[in-house]
Each structure stands twice: as C-alpha cells, then as structure tokens.
Amino acid sequence: MAFIQAIHMNPGHGKTSYARNSSFQNAEQNRMKPLIDAAITDLCSNTNTLLHGKMMIVDVGCSSGPNAVALISTAIDAIHGHYLQINQPPPEVCVLLNGLPDNDFNMVVKNLVTLRQSKKTIVVTGVAPGSFYERLFTSDSLHLVCSSNSLHWLSKAPEVLTRNHIPVYDIDEHARRERLPVVREAYAQQFRKDFSLFLELRAKELVSGGRMVISLVGTCSNAIASKFIIFPGIVAQILSVLVAEGVIDKAKFDSFYVPLYGPSSEELREIIEAEGSFSIREMRVHDPRTYMTTTLSTPTRFVNNLRALFEPIIVQHFGKVMDEFAMAAELYWSLDGNLQEERARTSRTMLAVSLAKA
C-alpha cells in the first residue's frame, strides 16, 4: 500500500490547496442530494433496517476542506426533515469520515466539530484512516455509505504495465496510439478488480437493507478508443514539455503511472451486477463540461486546480518540479485553441449511483 499513500489532494488552505480549488467536486456532490435524500427516506421508513433508534453514516474517500462533510451534512438534513415531517424524534447518528493516512485530517476534524455543533442529531463523530480497498468498519454496522469523486482512483497502477515498462502516455503519438488498447484494457481490468473488492467489503460492513450512494468520474459510452485518456491529457502534455526542456528525464516520464480510471456507465453496471452484493436503485450520467469551463476560465484557476489534484503524486515521482510545471501550464492555457479543443473532445462524464444491499 506504499504507493497509494501519496494519492491525496493538496492539504491546507493555501492558494493551491484542494480546499480552495474543489468547486467542480462540490457541484457533483450537490447533484447527489436527490439520491441521498431518497436513500435516507428508504432507511428511515424500514423499521427492520433501522433498529434501536441509531444510525451509522460514513463517507469513504472524504478528502479535505469543506467538501469533506458535504455529503454527511446532506444526509443529516434529510434525516431531520423526514422525522420532522412525521413528527417523531430522529435517531441518534454516528458520523465517520474515511481518507488515506496522508489526508489532511486536521482540517477534516475541524470541519467535523463545526458540523456536530450545527447538527444536534449527531451524537458521535470520528475519522477512520485507511484505504477503502480494505476493511474499515465492523460487520453489519453501517446504514449509509457515501463517496464522491474518489472511486476512480485505483489501489495501484496495473502491474502488467509497470512490470513490462509500458508507458501510459508515450510522447510519440504513433507509439501512443498503438499501445492505447493494451493500456486501456490493463486499467479497465484493474478498475474491475478494485471496484469489485470495494463492493464486497462495504457489503460486509452494511446492515441488511443498507444503502450506498457514490459518484465518480466516468467515460462517455460512445467515446472512441483513440480518444480514451487514462489520466488527464492536459497533465501529460504539460509534463512532456518539461521532458523537452530537460527538466525531467524521459525515462522518469515513461514510468509515471497515475492510478486513475473512469469507467463507462455500462462497465459500472456490469461490474455491480456481476459482483452481486448490491442492487442498483438509480444511476445518473451527466456532462461535466459546464463546470469544466469555470475551472479553466483563467490561467491562475487552471493551474491551481491542476496543482490541487495532482501536485502530491507529481512531486512524489518527479521531485521539486512544480514551479516549472506551473509555468508550462500557464503557457498551455495561453495557447489559442488548446483548452477549447480539450473541452470539445473530452470523453469525460460523471456517474452517480444509488445502491441497496441485496
């Protein structure tokens, strides 16, 4: 698990922190609200699922900043609204947030304290450090699991690529296109393995009839293979400029594997059905380009968003290159047509799924 420890967003509250550069992710969390509201209504209406007037809610892969408590806050508001409507006292609620050990838990805890003070229904709050590809909670203890903008991160890069020294993004376009089917299949198989394990683990931790609401970056179903990008092409192109300038070594660039994969909705559905622990209550697919436009609107916002997401993993692999990366990124932004082309050709979509333990 050593490699995955570096997969965290930029900590703190500085100008390149995730806390200040995650409006895109927050917009996706807002889109999840109807799914969470429906899941809470279902849980609160099922007396067999909600016993002894207690409810356990967790967010896995919570990251840091205000987004860390957004889904939990939505769930708490839904609980309060449901019981206010039927004029009954709400259950006692325990809230737990999970993230990798290198996550900025100082900020997470502060946000939890603020949340607890504002939501009287909450009795217990806490954090659970660790990978969501491992067991995190006791059996049959959870009622609702939430996760947003996290499950496209894999447990590791595909070994078939790292072991055979097959680059994900070759600077030579012809070589890159030839290798793309092999690279894509390797990442697809790694995602299938990881996501199936995730479902299996959470099924053990959820009570009978428990619910799960998740969202992740996906790929459009009609995306043609030649345009499939494993990790953001913008990042790869900026790093390739640093190779040309001699800032980073080409061999180092070729060995850079970002453990990130966006499935299509069909892939996701097939994996869920094959694993068998959950039934799909609802799946939503939407185009993120509106929010992408905001993210890419100025050079500063563009660079800060890239650094918030990718700086830790870039620094771990290449060392202190972020000043040069930022300058190359600003130049990329300034070139006419680059970002317009990126928006037009993106195969990215956002997937949100509501599941019930079978």
Side-chain angles (χ1 to χ4, degrees):
M1 300 300 293
F3 182 79
I4 204 169
Q5 301 308 312
I7 303 177
H8 60 88
M9 306 299 102
N10 252 0
H13 210 271
K15 64 180 182 179
T16 63
S17 67
Y18 182 79
R20 292 177 60 178
N21 296 279
S22 52
S23 58
F24 177 92
Q25 291 81 358
N26 180 249
E28 176 58 25
Q29 290 178 322
N30 291 337
R31 287 179 177 270
M32 295 172 68
K33 185 180 184 300
L35 299 181
I36 293 175
D37 288 347
I40 288 295
T41 298
D42 182 48
L43 286 168
C44 293
S45 302
N46 190 337
T47 55
N48 293 325
T49 301
L50 192 62
L51 298 174
H52 312 301
K54 297 178 177 61
M55 185 179 291
M56 179 85 78
I57 302 173
V58 304
D59 184 330
V60 294
C62 69
S63 192
S64 60
N67 288 359
V69 297
L71 299 183
I72 296 296
S73 181
T74 295
I76 297 299
D77 289 343
I79 293 169
H80 179 76
H82 176 83
Y83 283 94
L84 186 65
Q85 189 175 25
I86 62 175
N87 198 27
Q88 290 185 12
E92 295 180 346
V93 178
C94 174
V95 168
L96 295 174
L97 299 181
N98 155 258
L100 289 169
D102 285 343
N103 191 33
D104 187 0
F105 279 110
N106 287 332
M107 182 170 287
V108 170
V109 169
K110 290 177 183 178
N111 289 329
L112 269 178
V113 170
T114 302
L115 180 70
R116 184 176 180 182
Q117 291 171 345
S118 65
K119 309 288 186 183
K120 302 303 181 184
T121 305
I122 302 175
V123 176
V124 178
T125 60
V127 295
S131 167
F132 48 57
Y133 296 122
E134 300 173 330
R135 277 295 298 271
L136 295 167
F137 310 102
T138 56
S139 299
D140 302 312
S141 62
L142 308 181
H143 294 87
L144 175 65
V145 174
C146 298
S147 181
S148 68
N149 301 290
S150 295
L151 285 165
H152 42 263
W153 288 102
L154 306 175
S155 65
K156 60 182 178 181
E159 288 185 4
V160 68
L161 301 182
T162 58
R163 185 174 60 246
N164 295 304
H165 308 291
I166 300 173
V168 172
Y169 188 96
D170 199 297
I171 292 176
D172 180 84
E173 185 175 356
H174 178 72
R176 183 168 69 248
R177 288 180 176 274
E178 282 195 335
R179 290 194 181 107
L180 192 56
V182 173
V183 171
R184 189 195 190 287
E185 181 60 22
Y187 270 85
Q189 289 303 317
Q190 185 65 49
F191 177 81
R192 173 181 291 275
K193 178 180 178 181
D194 284 345
F195 191 64
S196 296
L197 176 62
F198 174 84
L199 294 173
E200 177 187 338
L201 296 174
R202 302 294 83 80
K204 291 178 180 177
E205 297 163 348
L206 279 160
V207 300
S208 177
R211 298 297 301 272
M212 187 153 63
V213 179
I214 61 175
S215 76
L216 67 159
V217 174
T219 300
C220 295
S221 301
N222 61 352
I224 59 176
S226 62
K227 290 189 177 180
F228 181 84
I229 299 173
I230 304 297
F231 69 97
I234 290 176
V235 175
Q237 291 175 54
I238 294 168
L239 289 172
S240 69
V241 170
L242 300 189
V243 173
E245 294 177 347
V247 175
I248 60 178
D249 184 71
K250 184 178 183 301
K252 200 74 172 174
F253 176 83
D254 288 342
S255 63
F256 185 51
Y257 300 93
V258 178
L260 184 67
Y261 180 80
S264 68
S265 59
E266 288 82 1
E267 281 181 279
L268 196 66
R269 181 180 296 276
E270 195 275 327
I271 294 169
I272 293 168
E273 292 175 350
E275 195 279 330
S277 297
F278 293 89
S279 61
I280 299 173
R281 291 294 181 87
E282 186 173 355
M283 181 181 292
R284 297 186 177 187
V285 182
H286 61 268
D287 187 337
R289 278 179 286 189
T290 299
Y291 297 106
M292 284 177 65
T293 299
T294 302
T295 301
L296 304 175
S297 60
T298 69
T300 299
R301 180 171 288 181
F302 171 63
V303 173
N304 288 349
N305 271 272
L306 287 180
R307 294 186 67 167
L309 292 172
F310 295 103
E311 181 164 348
I313 197 170
I314 289 173
V315 170
Q316 185 205 37
H317 189 77
F318 296 107
K320 296 179 180 179
V321 299
M322 292 313 298
D323 288 344
E324 294 87 348
F325 180 89
M327 287 188 289
E330 288 189 8
L331 177 61
Y332 183 94
W333 185 93
S334 68
L335 294 176
D336 290 341
N338 271 354
L339 297 184
Q340 289 82 357
E341 182 183 353
E342 183 70 25
R343 281 193 292 264
R345 74 182 183 185
T346 185
S347 60
R348 183 194 295 183
T349 187
M350 295 300 299
L351 307 176
V353 191
S354 178
L355 303 170
K357 182 176 175 179

